[in-house]
Amino acid sequence: MKIIAIAAVTAGGKTTIVNELKKRLPNTLSLHFDDYSFVGEVDDFHAWVTEGADYNVWDLAPLISDIEKVKDEANPDYLLLDYPFAYCHDEMRRYIDCAIFIDTPLDIAMARRILRDRKDASGDEIREDLEMYLKYARIAYVQMLEDILPSSDYVIDGTKELGEKVDEIAKIILALGTN
């Protein structure tokens, strides 16, 4: 089994791509970072970055436990991790065979996040959200581009059409083999 981390900034396309890859790659399972609550989870990303951006503050034991279960019980050819940190978390690094970063420009990611998460918000709520992004959250997005992107094995252009991205990533994964 090969474990492939699909990384990107928030709303960079991780979940969509993982779900499409599962349709194309037989005997493939996935685990999604957003399905978990972690001890040490960061609430204030601005402070986290200014204090050194330590990805290890997240206790990823629940995700790691599920990876171990998949390895022991399911035995798929591929396990896709919808997981933002690539190799930057010390414990998780040893599980990952390949990290692929979707390099989605921050303006596109922000537009997707607003369309996805704030579709019922008022104009004032959206403006407030954008102000918070500019003042406090953008720094964490930029930090990911500085840390996660260069630590990944492959970088995919996030502006390409979905099918093109999925085709490119599927080729990379299939070239890895299954053992």
Side-chain angles (χ1 to χ4, degrees):
M1 173 179 73
K2 295 290 185 187
I3 300 175
I4 296 95
I6 305 295
V9 298
T10 299
K14 297 179 298 291
T15 302
T16 301
I17 287 171
V18 165
N19 290 336
E20 287 299 313
L21 286 167
K22 283 174 53 180
K23 294 175 187 176
R24 295 194 190 186
L25 300 171
N27 199 24
T28 298
L29 298 177
S30 64
L31 296 172
H32 301 261
F33 185 83
D34 289 345
D35 290 344
Y36 296 86
S37 293
F38 300 108
V39 172
E41 198 166 328
V42 173
D43 291 322
D44 183 342
F45 285 96
H46 189 271
W48 173 76
V49 171
T50 59
E51 293 168 4
D54 181 6
Y55 295 91
N56 296 302
V57 298
W58 278 268
D59 178 359
L60 301 182
L63 176 58
I64 290 170
S65 175
D66 283 352
I67 291 169
E68 291 289 348
K69 285 179 190 171
V70 168
K71 286 172 67 174
D72 293 341
E73 298 170 11
N75 198 30
D77 291 333
Y78 304 103
L79 175 59
L80 304 177
L81 302 179
D82 173 350
Y83 169 70
F85 303 150
Y87 295 113
C88 289
H89 188 280
D90 292 341
E91 284 184 82
M92 279 294 294
R93 179 183 304 129
R94 66 187 179 103
Y95 289 94
I96 298 170
D97 295 303
C98 179
I100 301 170
F101 187 83
I102 311 305
D103 188 13
T104 304
L106 297 185
D107 62 325
I108 293 173
M110 175 53 65
R112 286 180 183 164
R113 190 179 71 76
I114 290 171
L115 291 169
R116 177 190 73 197
D117 298 345
R118 307 294 280 166
K119 61 182 164 215
D120 296 326
S122 69
D124 286 340
E125 290 169 326
I126 291 171
R127 279 187 288 283
E128 181 180 316
D129 193 31
L130 290 170
E131 286 177 17
M132 293 299 289
Y133 169 79
L134 291 171
K135 287 181 182 176
Y136 303 108
R138 185 177 185 279
I139 191 172
Y141 284 68
V142 171
Q143 190 68 45
M144 288 191 70
L145 296 176
E146 292 175 4
D147 297 339
I148 309 302
L149 184 151
S151 74
S152 297
D153 298 304
Y154 299 91
V155 177
I156 305 301
D157 180 352
T159 65
K160 290 182 177 179
E161 293 297 320
L162 177 61
E164 291 178 90
K165 290 182 282 195
V166 172
D167 288 344
E168 190 173 343
I169 295 169
K171 287 178 187 175
I172 291 167
I173 292 170
L174 291 170
L176 295 171
T178 58
N179 292 326

